């Protein structure tokens, strides 16, 4: 093909266009549990984007209200861990190597997860149009908990992007601090 020939048209979707359908994983590897506490900055960015895309597909596909999957789920660790586990279960249930009844098991477990999600959302206080940090119970001997106030967040996608950028930057700083503390001669923590 020379430079004057037009590129052949394909039926492949344009990845830059926003699609309402779930087009498969962004991470080309088998499903595995995600320990959000141990992800590197690079891993976290990919996992956040993958999970966000799947959660958007899930809420649209099943018509889930904000009382089950609120727009600001990413700001609440209890929702993050629950949705991440549900995503892993879905990936495994719909794996081509899986038993044909696995999707039915996923739907049974999804019904249980929806109730847990409702409980987490009710406890956290996040809503469709506003968010607040999950209230923390202060144990005897601890200082008072920080005040909890609602915050109006006008644009969910912008908030998500900034949240992920901040998380990735914090992880990158922790990585940089760790490597800066290594002895260059031994590779051990100084």
């Amino acid at each position: 093909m020379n430079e004057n020939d037009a590129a052949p048209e394909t039926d492949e979707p344009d990845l830059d266009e926003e699609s309402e359908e779930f087009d498969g994983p962004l991470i080309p590897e088998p499903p595995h549990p995600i320990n959000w506490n141990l992800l590197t900055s690079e891993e976290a960015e990919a996992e956040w984007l993958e999970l966000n895309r799947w959660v958007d597909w899930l809420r649209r596909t099943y018509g889930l209200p904000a009382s089950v999957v609120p727009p600001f789920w990413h700001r609440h660790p209890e929702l993050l861990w629950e949705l991440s586990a549900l995503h892993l279960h879905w990936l495994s249930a719909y794996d081509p190597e899986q038993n044909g009844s696995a999707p039915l098991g996923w739907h049974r477990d999804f019904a249980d997860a929806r109730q847990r999600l409702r409980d987490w959302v009710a406890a956290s206080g996040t809503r469709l149009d506003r968010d607040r940090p999950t209230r923390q119970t202060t144990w005897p001997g601890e200082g008072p908990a920080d005040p909890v106030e609602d915050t109006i967040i006008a644009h969910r996608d912008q908030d998500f992007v900034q949240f992920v950028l901040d998380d990735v930057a914090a992880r990158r700083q922790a990585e940089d601090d760790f490597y800066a503390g290594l002895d260059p001669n031994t590779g051990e923590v100084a």
Side-chain angles (χ1 to χ4, degrees), residues 26-162:
L26 295 170
I27 302 169
E29 59 185 40
H32 60 278
I34 306 300
N35 184 339
W36 289 89
N37 295 328
L38 301 178
L39 296 176
T40 66
S41 58
E42 189 173 298
E43 292 167 337
E45 183 176 17
E47 294 294 347
W48 275 117
L49 296 176
E50 176 76 14
L51 183 59
N52 186 58
R53 187 169 80 164
W54 183 80
V55 168
D56 192 54
W57 171 85
L58 180 75
R59 77 173 180 93
R60 290 175 185 277
T61 299
Y62 291 92
L64 300 174
S67 61
V68 176
V69 178
F72 309 112
W73 61 265
H74 56 278
R75 294 176 157 270
H76 297 274
E78 64 276 25
L79 295 171
L80 168 65
W81 288 94
E82 184 79 35
L83 289 166
S84 183
L86 192 59
H87 179 221
L88 173 63
H89 190 10
W90 183 85
L91 287 170
S92 297
Y94 285 91
D95 185 277
E97 302 291 321
Q98 188 55 266
N99 180 295
S101 63
L104 187 58
W106 182 85
H107 279 91
R108 181 184 55 246
D109 294 339
F110 180 41
D112 293 341
R114 286 195 311 271
Q115 184 55 54
R116 285 192 305 275
L117 286 163
R118 280 186 190 92
D119 293 345
W120 294 129
V121 171
S124 72
T126 188
R127 300 287 181 262
L128 181 62
D129 61 345
R130 63 189 182 282
D131 189 59
R132 70 170 183 236
T134 301
R135 294 184 194 279
Q136 299 295 313
T137 301
T138 303
W139 287 1
E142 293 180 341
D146 292 334
V148 176
E149 296 183 23
D150 285 0
T151 302
I152 303 298
I153 301 172
H155 196 283
R156 189 267 174 201
D157 288 342
Q158 288 174 356
D159 181 74
F160 176 79
V161 168
Q162 189 60 55

